[in-house]
Amino acid sequence: MPATSKSWWRDEDSAVWPFAALIVLIAAQLSFAFTRAINWDEFFFYHQVADFAEGRLTSPLQTLNTRIFFWLPGLFDSNIDHIVTARVTMLAFEIVTLWSLYLIAQRFTDNITALFVPLLYLSAGYVLQHGNSFRVDPMATAALIGALAVMARSRLDWRAIVGFGLLAAFGTMVTIKVILYFPAFAGLAVFRLMKSDWSRSQFIRLVACVACAVLFFALMFLWHSSSVTAERSNIAASTGLFSSSISWMFFIGLPAYWTMAIKAMMLAPIFTLAVLAAPILIWRSDRSRAEKIALTGFLLPVLTPFYYMNTAAYFYAFILAPVALGCIPALVWARRRFAPMILTSALASIALGVFLVDNRTIIDRQRQLEANIREIFPQPVTYIDHNYMMGSWPKGNKFMTPWGMNMYRENGVPEYTQALEADVVPLVIGNWWTLRVMFLEGDDTLLVAEDNETMRNSYIEFAPFIWIAGKRLPAGMAADNALFQVPGPYTVRDAPVVINGNALQPGEVIQLDRATYRLEVPGEQNARLVWGDNLQPPSDPLEPGPLYAGF
């Protein structure tokens, strides 16, 4: 009897289902690029790009990405739109990651099952949300998985060795987190050695890969650092950054972001089950010992949250890529029991559930806050905030990361007071809840004591989320030593004020230096002194509410 033909939607060996799911999820990520709230560190990475474009970048390490996006700052007036555009570009890097995962998987399983590896990775909730975010992680992931693909699929001739070196060097220039992929590279290297019967030529090829990566890293570093400005030498600055980062990166004890690890598992239950089952399925299988070692090497980075500090939600887009390869035996097991349509539907439906419940209103609030600030200050001013929200504008304080703020409090140096003494800083953006709590509720835990006093005495709330240098003056007050630490023009508002014996009416402007003054409010109405020449509140002030999407 002639063989009965099967329709593609019923064929157990059809690749249409996982391929279609990948297309749908990539389209969902493209939608996220335009509608998902900008995360705090995405503003930081855009600031680095703006600094590079204006010749102000001061560190050559972990900033090679700035060269790729040098064209961004000239496109729009809104930093939000710059980051959205960068996210679309980042999607191309993620597609490289997905393709590379498929190529590597083909080395360890059939073509249909190999297609489920990138699908498993992309279906993880945190990967879907952050896989094309404007961070260094998508670029590093694409480079490192690409380098693994070269190791897995090529003969490691000179072209492949050069390609591996370029990819590995690029990944290292982008982020020092590449060391977390060591088990994957080591396992694959052992795999190649065992497959070649520990041949000397194979060992030499692998050594050449490492040497080539080191060489290209050095060349990239020298090239990139030639466009970086710094008071210290680039090498010294980068060494300091590397050593301080290492001291923060690793820990012993309960993971700082253990709740996010739990949520990561909840948003990817099939992936989680595959990870749990993979070690048993790997070592009980009839695969060669070489394959078992390689697959275990891919799987081991899943343990990273137990010793690496910065494993917030976006980190999973970086670390789960090799882990998906380690889950190949679990996917083989599932493929034997479920048709492609069933397995695909299970993976895609969970991911699409994450997509559908995402809050798409916050990015408009972020755009409105930026517009409010630009309306008050048509020209850039120096500001203080959490995360470089204003991009190319000069910033008076450092990036307020948990690591950075812990170091700041441990050192006990009043850096914010020093910033006001060194520059004119008229603006504070309360774009992080801790900043607002410090101002509105008098919380003393964010800054050291001197800085708490300086900030509260120097700024007043001008519009929601926006503080401007100034003072609130109660009716009938008289103060002999009112300190002004932000020099410049000040506008009298709401009621008359007497400054050093000079009576001023509302709307009048006086130039004040960084000094102390005698202030009086002779009437029965409260008054304000606000930095600037009659600055006006935004015409459409932002309503209270969230500025970021929670993890």
Side-chain angles (χ1 to χ4, degrees):
M1 293 179 61
T4 304
S5 62
K6 294 183 179 180
S7 301
W8 59 261
W9 60 84
R10 293 179 180 176
D11 191 343
E12 294 181 359
D13 293 324
S14 173
V16 170
W17 289 104
F19 182 76
L22 282 168
I23 298 299
V24 170
L25 294 186
I26 290 171
Q29 279 198 318
L30 180 61
S31 170
F32 269 155
F34 295 93
T35 62
R36 183 165 174 77
I38 309 297
N39 193 241
W40 49 272
D41 57 341
E42 292 183 277
F43 286 110
F44 170 74
F45 288 120
Y46 174 70
H47 139 77
Q48 288 186 321
V49 171
D51 272 3
F52 176 79
E54 297 183 12
R56 297 198 309 262
L57 190 67
T58 58
S59 174
L61 195 59
Q62 300 192 111
T63 58
L64 188 62
N65 55 297
T66 59
R67 286 186 176 273
I68 298 174
F69 292 97
F70 73 94
W71 45 271
L72 265 182
L75 292 182
F76 309 106
D77 294 330
S78 167
N79 295 329
I80 306 296
D81 293 331
H82 289 137
I83 294 171
V84 166
T85 304
R87 285 174 166 183
V88 175
T89 307
M90 284 295 184
L91 191 58
F93 285 96
E94 189 183 50
I95 291 172
V96 171
T97 297
L98 298 174
W99 177 246
S100 298
L101 286 173
Y102 174 67
L103 292 177
I104 299 169
Q106 284 182 310
R107 185 65 183 80
F108 298 93
T109 188
D110 63 89
N111 291 342
I112 307 300
T113 305
L115 201 54
F116 278 96
V117 172
L119 179 59
L120 180 70
Y121 166 72
L122 188 55
S123 69
Y126 278 157
V127 175
L128 187 70
Q129 290 177 330
H130 303 285
N132 68 324
S133 59
F134 187 40
R135 297 178 172 92
V136 295
D137 301 70
M139 290 183 285
T141 307
L144 296 178
I145 298 300
L148 286 170
V150 172
M151 279 189 71
R153 295 297 303 271
S154 74
R155 295 175 51 238
L156 286 187
D157 55 18
W158 71 268
R159 295 181 185 84
I161 291 172
V162 169
F164 176 92
L166 286 170
L167 289 168
F170 175 80
T172 307
M173 280 293 295
V174 167
T175 175
I176 59 176
K177 288 188 299 194
V178 296
I179 61 176
L180 302 176
Y181 270 48
F182 176 76
F185 281 99
L188 199 51
V190 172
F191 168 80
R192 290 193 67 109
L193 287 170
M194 293 181 70
K195 283 291 186 181
S196 68
D197 224 3
W198 301 93
S199 71
R200 181 180 179 183
S201 64
Q202 189 66 218
F203 180 78
I204 292 173
R205 291 170 189 268
L206 292 170
V207 171
C209 285
V210 176
C212 199
V214 172
L215 173 63
F216 281 125
F217 174 81
L219 292 174
M220 287 181 187
F221 181 86
L222 292 173
W223 169 64
H224 181 50
S225 63
S226 67
S227 299
V228 172
T229 59
E231 294 180 0
R232 296 183 294 163
S233 71
N234 289 327
I235 295 177
S238 299
T239 301
L241 173 64
F242 181 79
S243 60
S244 60
S245 297
I246 291 293
S247 67
W248 168 257
M249 283 169 62
F250 300 101
F251 71 98
I252 298 175
L254 182 68
Y257 298 114
W258 64 270
T259 55
M260 293 186 197
I262 293 175
K263 186 173 180 180
M265 291 187 286
M266 294 174 62
L267 295 179
I270 296 176
F271 203 150
T272 301
L273 292 173
V275 168
L276 294 174
I280 299 172
L281 294 173
I282 289 172
W283 289 97
R284 287 189 176 181
S285 69
D286 57 359
R287 294 176 180 270
S288 67
R289 190 171 184 82
E291 287 191 350
K292 291 177 180 179
I293 290 174
L295 292 171
T296 302
F298 292 140
L299 194 63
L300 282 176
V302 78
L303 300 176
T304 301
F306 292 102
Y307 58 86
Y308 177 73
M309 178 66 71
N310 191 19
T311 55
Y314 47 83
F315 175 75
Y316 290 88
F318 171 76
I319 208 64
L320 289 183
V323 175
L325 292 165
C327 292
I328 286 174
L331 290 172
V332 171
W333 181 92
R335 281 266 291 122
R336 291 170 179 168
R337 289 159 178 80
F338 303 103
M341 182 183 69
I342 301 298
L343 188 55
T344 299
S345 299
L347 289 168
S349 60
I350 296 169
L352 290 175
V354 173
F355 171 78
L356 292 173
V357 301
D358 195 74
N359 189 334
R360 289 171 171 75
T361 64
I362 296 177
I363 192 171
D364 293 328
R365 291 177 51 79
Q366 295 172 329
R367 189 176 277 108
Q368 185 180 353
L369 177 58
E370 183 185 350
N372 287 171
I373 295 167
R374 293 184 185 276
E375 186 177 353
I376 298 170
F377 296 99
Q379 298 301 318
V381 296
T382 303
Y383 70 102
I384 286 173
D385 84 330
H386 176 263
N387 52 26
Y388 291 89
M389 189 173 194
M390 297 308 294
S392 61
W393 287 22
K395 193 170 188 293
N397 66 323
K398 298 175 182 177
F399 190 18
M400 299 176 75
T401 62
W403 167 39
M405 293 307 293
N406 282 339
M407 291 181 62
Y408 152 77
R409 285 187 289 265
E410 288 175 3
N411 292 336
V413 177
E415 295 179 4
Y416 289 74
T417 302
Q418 292 176 354
L420 268 61
E421 293 171 348
D423 198 358
V424 178
V425 188
L427 170 64
V428 175
I429 306 171
N431 55 357
W432 198 247
W433 68 273
T434 49
L435 274 170
R436 298 194 295 276
V437 165
M438 181 199 70
F439 278 121
L440 300 175
E441 300 180 17
D443 186 274
D444 291 332
T445 60
L446 178 64
L447 305 178
V448 300
E450 185 176 345
D451 284 345
N452 278 318
E453 182 179 359
T454 295
M455 296 294 286
R456 291 181 191 135
N457 290 337
S458 299
Y459 298 93
I460 60 175
E461 189 173 13
F462 189 70
F465 304 97
I466 300 171
W467 276 258
I468 292 180
K471 293 187 184 296
R472 295 189 181 279
L473 310 175
M477 74 158 287
D480 290 326
N481 296 297
L483 177 62
F484 285 78
Q485 291 180 279
V486 183
Y490 279 80
T491 302
V492 177
R493 294 180 183 267
D494 306 329
V497 175
V498 179
I499 304 177
N500 283 356
N502 182 19
L504 299 167
Q505 298 299 313
E508 289 192 78
V509 179
I510 183 172
Q511 185 74 26
L512 299 179
D513 297 324
R514 189 178 284 110
T516 57
Y517 294 85
R518 175 173 174 77
L519 302 179
E520 300 174 74
V521 182
E524 298 181 354
Q525 185 177 353
N526 297 335
R528 290 178 297 160
L529 282 170
V530 181
W531 191 94
D533 186 351
N534 282 284
L535 299 180
Q536 297 302 310
S539 55
D540 183 23
L542 183 62
E543 295 292 331
L547 281 178
Y548 303 102
F551 288 145

